[in-house]
Amino acid sequence: MRLIGMILALAAIGWVLFEASGGGKGDGAVPAEYRQSLEKAEALEQTLQDAAQTRLQALDNKEE
């Protein structure tokens, strides 16, 4: 009986902690505004990488 009581108590504590943390309803630890900024930064990084790749290919073509 003690074992069942401990398991039920641990389950209740776990449930309370889960609900206190948002109950799985949250979008994550990063706020939406920061996520948008990260997405813009990733897009900018991709654009810069594409431009650098194009420039390197142009330089390689000039050497040939």
Side-chain angles (χ1 to χ4, degrees):
M1 281 302 204
R2 281 188 189 172
L3 181 61
I4 293 173
M6 270 201 273
I7 291 172
L8 289 174
L10 286 173
I13 291 170
W15 180 78
V16 167
L17 291 174
F18 178 72
E19 289 297 318
S21 70
K25 297 175 191 164
D27 293 332
V30 180
E33 295 82 21
Y34 294 145
R35 265 188 278 126
Q36 290 173 351
S37 296
L38 287 173
E39 289 170 1
K40 287 179 183 178
E42 288 172 355
L44 176 62
E45 180 184 13
Q46 185 63 44
T47 302
L48 290 174
Q49 287 177 353
D50 292 343
Q53 184 66 30
T54 303
R55 181 72 176 145
L56 287 173
Q57 286 176 352
L59 289 173
D60 285 343
N61 290 339
K62 281 185 180 181
E63 290 176 1
E64 294 176 355

